[in-house]
Amino acid sequence: QAQLVESGGGLVQPGGSLRLSCANSESIRRYNNMAWYRQAAGKQREMVARISSGDYTYYLDSVKGRFTISRDYSKKTLYLQMDNLKPEDSAVYYCNFGGTYASPGSLWGQGSLVTVSS
């Protein structure tokens, strides 16, 4: 059974950068959609970025121009490069495989805490 293992979260100052990684135990070529979600304390989960077959990408308006989603088939890994981080980006970030544009799939990472604070 496939397992997703996340890494790369942490504490960063406003304006800083982090890169989240989500490594799969199996090939990621089978997934048409791979995405990053986040959930801040007291708020609903939201999709931050999605990459689909054909390399189509979607970004939440508030992260456009600052976050970049990418994947490496050879490493079986999904990435989220986060630049110019803001305090409002603080949340637990989850990778998700196999969903659609409207809803997540059943395969989730364990979550990575990102805290943006001075």
Side-chain angles (χ1 to χ4, degrees), residues 16-101:
S17 297
L18 285 174
R19 188 177 79 158
L20 301 181
S21 298
C22 175
N24 192 14
S25 55
E26 302 177 350
S27 172
I28 64 173
R29 292 184 179 275
R30 59 183 291 193
Y31 299 102
N32 290 328
N33 292 286
M34 292 178 279
W36 289 95
Y37 287 77
R38 69 184 180 189
Q39 187 165 19
K43 296 187 177 181
Q44 288 189 332
R45 181 182 61 198
E46 60 184 356
M47 182 188 289
V48 175
R50 184 183 74 246
I51 187 166
S52 304
S53 56
D55 288 334
Y56 171 82
T57 55
Y58 158 87
Y59 294 97
L60 186 67
D61 282 347
S62 62
V63 308
K64 283 181 181 177
R66 300 188 297 120
F67 289 15
T68 304
I69 188 171
S70 63
R71 58 192 171 193
D72 187 326
Y73 288 125
S74 65
K75 295 182 179 179
K76 299 180 287 185
T77 300
L78 178 72
Y79 301 99
L80 184 68
Q81 177 67 41
M82 304 184 291
D83 298 317
N84 190 21
L85 282 160
K86 303 177 180 180
E88 53 264 40
D89 294 319
S90 297
V92 179
Y93 285 70
Y94 300 91
C95 57
N96 178 267
F97 286 14
T100 69
Y101 73 96

